[in-house]
Amino acid sequence: MGSIYGKIFQISTFGESHGAAVGVIIQGCPAGVDFDLNFIQSELDRRKPGQSRITTQRKEADTVEVLSGIFEGKTTGTPIAMLVWNGDQRSKDYAHIADQFRPSHADYTYFAKYGLRDYRGGGRSSARETVARVAAGALAKLVLNQLGVRITAYVSQVGTLKLETPAEQLDLSLAETNAVRCPDTQLAEKMFTYIDQIRKEGDSVGGVVSAYITGCPIGLGEPVFDKLHAELGKAMLSINAVKGFEYGSGFDGVALRGSQHNDIIEKQADGTLRTVTNHSGGIQGGISNGEPIYFRVGFKPVATIMQNQDSVNEKGEKITVSGKGRHDPCVVPRAVPIVEAMAAIVLLDFYLRNRVIQMPA
């Protein structure tokens, strides 16, 4: 069950980094949704490798094929299957670690759990799997766009280089104008130079992807265990290399007093209720309150680096692991569409849960 997510809008992903293909089966998508294949492909293009010299140089077209669930340009309400074939694989680059464990990688834990592992590019543990998530998330975005929901993610930190300006004060459209996907173009240049230097040193660096969601209806999320922020956290923490998630004021909020942190509610001229501040990040009691939802996702440095490291092999013998293959020196630029995709899947699933609950008996 580890490859399935969602209650109503449910996705099941399959495939490995060096297998024949990766793909997704989507169940629960409403019938009659306009299926924009060009939009789905454009989302995959934002994620694909080889976009610049600060990303992995693996060359994949990542062209999506739709196998089922679409007729005359609309969803039919039946399972939708989408597939992306793998092409540019160099499995020989991983032959030297067939019986070796790379530090901080999933090599050891997969072997310990299953008694075997696909060492070629990490197999199922590879971020190649996120192709399927982005395809499914693009479909979720198509539905959410019709509801007026807009999800925008961007890079807000690389190493110690941090963007301090709040999302509402930024022109987030600028994020797609540079290779780093940071809306502050001057800071983006510094980030690019820093990542490139890290790459030349055969090392890697982490970063933060921030997300800002507008137009989310009030009432998404369930009491207790299925709180909206809990599901967003689960979705983000399921992405490769993610080490942290915080929403709203997050950890900074612990330094405030309640009198400073509380979001005062006011009635607007049109009769709606709004909060003066938004320390809650658009979610209160685990349920969306209509304010913008914002959160941050922390990514660790990529585990596979182009440097020799001490480790052990399957027999427990001490060895030296040599870095080979093609890897991102920093994952956050390509992680932006993945974060957006997972957020879209979570929101659409909750929206459909509400719709089912509110249907007359």
Side-chain angles (χ1 to χ4, degrees):
M1 298 296 290
S3 294
I4 299 173
Y5 180 80
K7 296 287 182 69
I8 304 297
F9 186 83
Q10 186 178 82
I11 71 169
S12 177
T13 73
F14 60 89
E16 297 83 29
S17 178
H18 286 227
V22 290
V24 62
I25 298 173
I26 304 165
Q27 300 194 72
C29 183
V33 175
D34 290 329
F35 189 81
D36 187 344
L37 183 60
N38 289 331
F39 175 74
I40 291 175
Q41 186 61 58
S42 71
E43 292 293 279
L44 288 169
D45 289 346
R46 294 172 65 210
R47 193 223 70 95
K48 73 180 181 181
Q51 296 182 40
S52 73
R53 68 173 182 266
I54 62 168
T55 64
T56 172
Q57 294 306 294
R58 179 172 175 171
K59 301 295 183 182
E60 294 283 359
D62 281 356
T63 303
V64 63
E65 293 184 20
V66 182
L67 306 182
S68 66
I70 307 299
F71 180 68
E72 294 183 343
K74 293 184 181 295
T75 58
T76 62
T78 59
I80 298 167
M82 290 188 277
L83 183 74
V84 172
W85 295 99
N86 292 327
D88 184 21
Q89 302 155 316
R90 295 182 185 173
S91 297
K92 66 180 186 298
D93 287 347
Y94 299 90
H96 69 293
I97 61 163
D99 66 343
Q100 299 179 354
F101 301 135
R102 290 168 292 179
S104 288
H105 208 282
D107 295 339
Y108 171 67
T109 51
Y110 267 59
F111 182 77
K113 180 177 177 66
Y114 299 108
L116 53 85
R117 65 187 174 93
D118 183 350
Y119 60 84
R120 304 166 304 163
R124 185 68 176 156
S125 70
S126 169
R128 184 77 184 144
E129 179 270 341
T130 60
V131 171
R133 304 184 191 212
V134 172
L139 178 58
K141 275 188 174 184
L142 286 174
V143 181
L144 292 172
N145 286 344
Q146 297 179 19
L147 302 173
V149 181
R150 297 291 181 269
I151 303 171
T152 305
Y154 58 95
V155 173
S156 57
Q157 185 171 346
V158 171
T160 59
L161 299 172
K162 186 176 182 180
L163 177 60
E164 302 286 358
T165 309
E168 59 269 20
Q169 297 176 22
L170 293 166
D171 181 354
L172 298 183
S173 66
L174 295 177
E176 291 299 317
T177 64
N178 59 76
V180 181
R181 292 201 164 95
C182 175
D184 183 322
T185 54
Q186 291 185 333
L187 183 58
E189 290 181 10
K190 294 179 182 179
M191 289 176 170
F192 184 97
T193 300
Y194 181 57
I195 296 172
D196 198 31
Q197 181 60 41
I198 292 290
R199 176 188 65 83
K200 292 175 182 176
E201 295 172 4
D203 216 332
S204 62
V205 66
V208 174
V209 173
S210 295
Y212 191 70
I213 303 170
T214 59
C216 183
I218 300 172
L220 299 191
E222 305 292 340
V224 190
F225 296 115
D226 284 359
K227 294 177 179 178
L228 178 55
H229 60 268
E231 285 299 311
L232 284 170
K234 176 182 178 179
M236 298 306 145
L237 289 165
S238 75
I239 300 171
N240 309 65
V242 170
K243 301 296 285 185
F245 169 83
E246 61 174 356
Y247 77 102
S249 61
F251 285 99
D252 288 340
V254 305
L256 301 177
R257 298 186 180 190
S259 56
Q260 298 170 310
H261 190 272
N262 289 343
D263 295 321
I264 304 302
I265 304 171
E266 289 187 345
K267 187 175 183 179
Q268 306 300 301
D270 61 1
T272 60
L273 301 181
R274 296 288 306 273
T275 59
V276 178
T277 54
N278 190 21
H279 297 300
S280 300
I283 303 170
Q284 292 173 325
I287 298 171
S288 60
N289 66 359
E291 299 297 325
I293 295 171
Y294 62 95
F295 58 83
R296 292 161 298 282
V297 186
F299 289 79
K300 71 171 183 176
V302 175
T304 304
I305 60 176
M306 300 300 104
Q307 297 181 12
N308 292 337
Q309 300 179 89
D310 293 335
S311 190
V312 297
N313 60 20
E314 292 177 2
K315 297 179 181 179
E317 299 167 335
K318 187 174 181 178
I319 51 92
T320 298
V321 176
S322 301
K324 292 183 180 179
R326 296 162 294 178
H327 307 276
D328 293 89
C330 181
V331 299
V332 290
R334 292 177 58 219
V336 166
I338 303 169
V339 167
E340 292 180 0
M342 292 307 297
I345 291 167
V346 171
L347 292 180
L348 180 56
D349 189 42
F350 272 120
Y351 175 81
L352 294 174
R353 289 200 222 180
N354 270 14
R355 195 177 75 164
V356 170
I357 292 171
Q358 293 168 5
M359 288 178 65

